[in-house]
Amino acid sequence: MRRTVIGGDTLQDDYCVMSEGRAIGRIRLATERSWQGSVWVWMINVPLPIPAWGNGDAGSLDEAKTRFRAVWERFRAGLTEHDIQHWHHHQDASANRSSKR
């Protein structure tokens, strides 16, 4: 995991989940849900169709990491080589567009 950076700003309690050097998801403290107490939301966010079970929430950062890992492993196990090539192609193209700005 690494801290999320948006527009040059490093966000507090917001993490990009990485695997093999690639962004695969996000875990963040859902401050907009503070009325519910401490809620951490997690989601897979690769450029592929994500099933309804590809996101959720948890009461702590550690619990969110554990849930994310289990769901990621399930999701990753179902990918074909074509899916992975598609994902990498689109993620690389997006990174290339961003670096040219």
Side-chain angles (χ1 to χ4, degrees):
M1 286 187 3
R2 68 176 189 208
R3 294 228 182 241
T4 300
V5 178
I6 297 177
D9 294 328
T10 302
L11 305 179
Q12 185 173 338
D13 296 324
D14 195 321
Y15 302 93
C16 180
V17 182
M18 307 294 292
S19 177
E20 299 177 10
R22 293 188 176 274
I24 60 168
R26 187 172 178 191
I27 298 174
R28 68 177 184 82
L29 183 61
T31 55
E32 73 279 4
R33 292 169 57 180
S34 62
W35 57 273
Q36 290 180 303
S38 183
V39 177
W40 288 84
V41 294
W42 53 267
M43 72 260 348
I44 295 171
N45 62 3
V46 297
L48 293 169
I50 306 299
W53 47 264
N55 65 79
D57 57 34
S60 70
L61 176 57
D62 285 338
E63 182 184 359
K65 290 191 290 189
T66 298
R67 290 182 181 188
F68 181 93
R69 179 182 298 275
V71 168
W72 171 252
E73 289 173 358
R74 177 180 170 195
F75 178 77
R76 177 66 179 84
L79 297 180
T80 66
E81 186 59 36
H82 179 266
D83 294 333
I84 295 167
Q85 288 176 0
H86 175 84
W87 156 29
H88 290 183
H89 172 77
H90 283 277
Q91 203 171 49
D92 294 344
S94 177
N96 287 337
R97 282 191 301 275
S98 294
S99 69
K100 293 178 183 180
R101 292 181 186 167

